Amino acid sequence: MRRLVLVVFALLCAGAAAQAPRGAPLVERSWLPLARDGVHDPRSPAIGLLQEPGSALSALPADTAGNQVRWVEALRNGSINPRTSLRPEAQVRLLDSDIYMDRYGSVPVVRFPHREHTLWLDCGNCHERLFKSQTGANNISMLRILQGEQCGQCHGAVAFPLTECSRCHNTPRATLNRAPAARQGANVP
Amino acid sequence: MTGRALAGAALLVLAALTPSAACAEYGDVLLNRYSDQGGVRPVVFPHWFHRIRFRCKVCHDQLGFEMRAGANDVRMSDIIEGRFCGMCHNNDIAWGAERCDLCHSGRPGLKSGVYGGHQTTGPGRW
């Protein structure tokens, strides 16, 4: 069974790599018009007034899954600049540390970047209800993620979907072993 | 945690990879706790549209939206009084509550929940 999981994992990663060579422009993206997306009522008078997803998203950095937008990149390169607060006095908290999760020898290590998350989210969206802020204290498992818990609360709903295995399982164990100091929640500039 | 369960899960992900016929834009949330009963179309909330303008923390931290489809008990009266969507849809930050159709644009009869392409989430979804 374990082997089957690994084969599936390898296939998915290979598939993803084949679809999206790094840096290369993606050939074709398309978005369903609202009238045919199955959720909007085609007879609603709002069709024609609401913005079509393709008209906004096609201008943003390309991805193969989810919204077909690489949201992290869109924020980084300034193609979007969403507001961080409605009130000027609201406190904005950022954290710039990576956490390496390597409790399972069978899959590539997960590097969880606080930076990319806290640009979008507040600490309170994850701590302490979803995750205790203590390395290794959360017993994170793929099954629970796939059921919509832990990382799966956002990934699979709004943030990039769980089909993108290698975006989380992003660090080959070999590279990690060479830098043991960076293993556990070390600060990365 | 059994290997069997995991393999099953991995296969389900594979199944999710094949696009289905009708799929909303990824992250669209349908709110239909009261709309059908109230005789209006259910509400479609598009994450893609709002996240271009606001970071998650604005709604899910500062404005207090629970991050779980169906977890916010939103009534039309709340919105008119400036709560939930009404914190922005007040003719100040965005257009106001009188533009019924822009929010109530969903297909009648659909269940509340998050819709969209490669969805995998939600307790009991599988």
Side-chain angles (χ1 to χ4, degrees), chain A residues 51 56-57 71, chain B residues 46-54:
Chain A
Q51 184 174 28
L57 301 181
W71 290 105
Chain B
H47 264 105
W48 65 269
F49 183 95
H50 287 87
R51 74 180 292 187
I52 290 175
R53 293 158 176 80
F54 303 96

Side-chain angles (χ1 to χ4, degrees), chain A residues 82-123:
Chain A
R83 292 171 69 170
T84 36
S85 68
L86 292 183
R87 285 164 281 115
E89 72 274 15
Q91 194 197 358
V92 177
R93 300 191 282 179
L94 293 177
L95 183 62
D96 206 358
S97 74
D98 285 349
I99 310 241
Y100 291 87
M101 303 172 176
D102 68 343
R103 292 188 303 130
Y104 303 94
S106 53
V107 278
V109 175
V110 174
R111 180 182 58 84
F112 171 85
H114 264 110
R115 182 182 159 75
E116 276 71 13
H117 284 92
T118 52
L119 283 174
W120 288 101
L121 295 150
D122 186 76
C123 319

Side-chain angles (χ1 to χ4, degrees), chain A residues 1-2 4-5 8 11-12 31-32 34 36-47 49-54 56-57 60 64-68 71-72 75 80-87 90-94 117-122 124-125 129 141-149 152-164, chain B residues 1-14 16-18 20-30 41-63 65-68 87-88 93 95 99-108 110 114-126:
Chain A
M1 269 308 168
R2 187 139 218 122
L4 177 56
V5 176
V8 170
L11 278 176
L12 286 169
W31 290 266
L32 275 180
L34 297 179
R36 288 200 283 116
D37 71 1
V39 169
H40 288 87
D41 183 349
R43 287 162 309 167
S44 160
I47 304 293
L49 293 175
L50 295 176
Q51 184 174 28
E52 293 290 342
L57 301 181
L60 303 180
T64 47
N67 295 119
Q68 304 177 75
W71 290 105
V72 168
L75 204 59
I80 59 172
N81 185 16
R83 292 171 69 170
T84 36
S85 68
L86 292 183
R87 285 164 281 115
Q91 194 197 358
V92 177
R93 300 191 282 179
L94 293 177
H117 284 92
T118 52
L119 283 174
W120 288 101
L121 295 150
D122 186 76
N125 292 131
R129 207 161 48 166
S141 87
M142 206 53 223
L143 190 63
R144 292 183 62 189
I145 294 174
L146 285 159
Q147 285 169 330
E149 297 167 42
Q153 174 156 1
C154 299
H155 293 281
V158 177
F160 71 80
L162 297 175
T163 48
E164 308 310 291
Chain B
M1 160 85 41
T2 66
R4 187 186 300 261
L6 237 181
L11 287 176
L12 278 166
V13 170
L14 261 189
L17 266 172
T18 43
S20 58
C23 42
E25 186 51 38
Y26 188 71
D28 279 2
V29 181
L30 194 98
R41 292 186 175 87
V43 172
V44 182
F45 173 80
H47 264 105
W48 65 269
F49 183 95
H50 287 87
R51 74 180 292 187
I52 290 175
R53 293 158 176 80
F54 303 96
R55 299 181 200 228
C56 328
K57 55 178 105 174
V58 172
C59 291
H60 290 299
D61 180 57
Q62 295 155 23
L63 300 183
F65 277 99
E66 285 289 330
M67 238 185 220
R68 184 60 85 194
M87 291 184 278
C88 295
I93 294 167
W95 39 262
R99 302 194 64 182
C100 319
D101 288 331
L102 290 187
C103 288
H104 293 278
S105 66
R107 283 229 320 252
L110 283 184
V114 64
Y115 285 76
H118 305 87
Q119 60 183 316
T120 44
T121 195
R125 183 168 289 277
W126 289 348

